Amino acid sequence: MPDVSVVGAGPNGLAAAAVMARAGLSVELFEAGKTIGGGTRTSELMQPGHFHDICSAVHPMAVASPFFKAFELSRRINLITPDLSYGSPLDGGRAALAYRSLDRTAAGLGHDGAAYRRLMAPLVDRIDAVMDFTQNQLLRIPRNPIAAGIFGLRTLEQGSGVWNARFKEESAPALLAGVAAHAISHQPSLAASGAGLMLGALGHAGGWPIPEGGSAAIAAAMAEDLVAHGGVIHTDAPIDRLEDLPAARATLLNVAPQGLLNMAGNALPGRYRGALESFRYGNGSCKVDFILSGPVPWAAKELADAGTLHLGGTRAEVARSENEVNAGKHPERPYVLVAQQSRFDSGRAPAGHHTLWAYCHVPTGSTRDMTEAVTAQVERFAPGFRDLVVESTAITAAGLAKYNRNYVGGDFSAGTMDMLNLVQRPVVSRVPWRTPLRGVYLCSSSTPPGPGVTGMPGYHAAKYALQDMFGLSVPALGLAAA
């Protein structure tokens, strides 16, 4: 029997398994899919030679999350980091541009440049402390209270009705709205503003890198390390009950609360089971992938150099779209998140072709194909886009829920992004990764710090499993310690 069983080979399960294996324990990892990766898979979805990221595409946390920094991911895979982290197109051929250089960004924001710099500079200057604060659970005393306080005050400002008080024009608020909308939450809201400020600061501190060859490269690097330290990976191996697993001393589950309920049943105490049953999932997304016969013809030419784009228009328009989703509606003009990886990674498509990755937000469980609405938003800011589409494919929110059991209702955040759910993720506890079942831990994005390819939920769960069950500390994770 192994010392440790892990369920789910997404980035959090892989992180948990790698930490345990590095500690000298025997580890077996079970993945329901035919391939590892979870939210970090890459596939030829439509035509040979055209590689599409299935879920995550651009990875600001790949160089910034404490786990990936310790793991030295940037030394294991090639991360391509555009100088232009992201952009928000506006009507009339205009665009707000967020460069890795904060000064260059501010210089392009006109009269609001100085105000934007004052908002972001204290976060960029303290980015490691900001990441330490945001990549842990909120029920703890921050290691750097000053950084946490600065971040908190800016979150309060940008998450309230005074969010435009600093600004006089449209560009700077559009930049902030674009990153805040990653949270799939009502706007303005504290959860959305906190997520947006963190992502925005990362855009200036280290950039938003794109893994060469696709997001699957991240999963492959983690799996390689796990196997090198004696771990065993089983694919096409769904686990429906805890009894299906080997009788390991520690079990780490990269599953949503619903998954734990299904696997453990009445073995869970009533109060804890009730908390999992009441756990709230968020709205979903509809993912659309394109093969193009040429680069996107952005009206604002500078956007060709952006790895990521937030299509929605002004801050007011983005907020209206997101709030319509929150009210159970499909927006006519949805906020669309776009990544143009083939612009920077030529191996993603044959010569003369490009791939384009996009998704928009929809109500939970939606079965609506949003290809036309997504296409119309791209065409709005890139006239002639339709003429370049060779082929496209979409997966609805309901389809995402089928693809990955953790994406309940198509929610790839694995839980509503609001302040209550950030504290109660999935329960209010000093150690929310620990379950009432001895030796059983949750390590999915339904635990702190929440969604994103960070590896941190897995890292936190592994830390407590090592301490509780084996009396061990987290081992060194870098290449020098391999």
Side-chain angles (χ1 to χ4, degrees), residues 156-165 188:
L156 284 169
E157 173 198 310
Q158 291 300 306
S160 71
V162 299
W163 61 349
N164 284 327

Side-chain angles (χ1 to χ4, degrees), residues 100-274:
R100 291 174 66 186
S101 165
L102 179 58
D103 288 341
R104 186 178 179 186
T105 301
L109 293 175
H111 295 299
D112 284 338
Y116 182 84
R117 185 190 287 107
R118 286 194 297 271
L119 176 71
M120 299 301 295
L123 304 180
V124 175
D125 293 343
R126 297 170 174 82
I127 193 61
D128 288 341
V130 168
M131 291 305 292
D132 177 75
F133 176 62
T134 59
Q135 295 304 296
N136 280 277
Q137 70 141 324
L138 296 180
L139 298 179
R140 65 189 278 270
I141 298 174
R143 290 179 188 169
N144 189 325
I146 294 175
I150 291 171
F151 181 82
L153 288 173
R154 280 158 170 73
T155 296
L156 284 169
E157 173 198 310
Q158 291 300 306
S160 71
V162 299
W163 61 349
N164 284 327
R166 287 180 185 260
F167 306 113
K168 307 298 181 187
E169 300 177 334
E170 290 182 337
S171 293
L175 277 185
L176 294 167
V179 286
H182 281 244
I184 320 181
S185 180
H186 177 81
Q187 291 205 27
S189 70
L190 296 179
S193 69
L197 288 169
M198 178 193 68
L199 291 172
L202 288 173
H204 301 307
W208 284 20
I210 296 168
E212 184 176 17
S215 294
I218 297 175
M222 298 170 78
E224 181 181 1
D225 191 83
L226 170 60
V227 172
H229 289 85
V232 177
I233 300 174
H234 305 277
T235 55
D236 205 10
I239 301 297
D240 297 318
R241 301 178 304 161
L242 290 179
E243 291 82 1
D244 297 337
L245 290 166
R249 288 175 64 186
T251 299
L252 292 94
L253 305 174
N254 182 16
V255 302
Q258 187 58 53
L260 177 55
L261 285 167
N262 294 340
M263 294 168 72
N266 292 329
L268 293 169
R271 186 173 179 181
Y272 186 83
R273 189 169 63 247

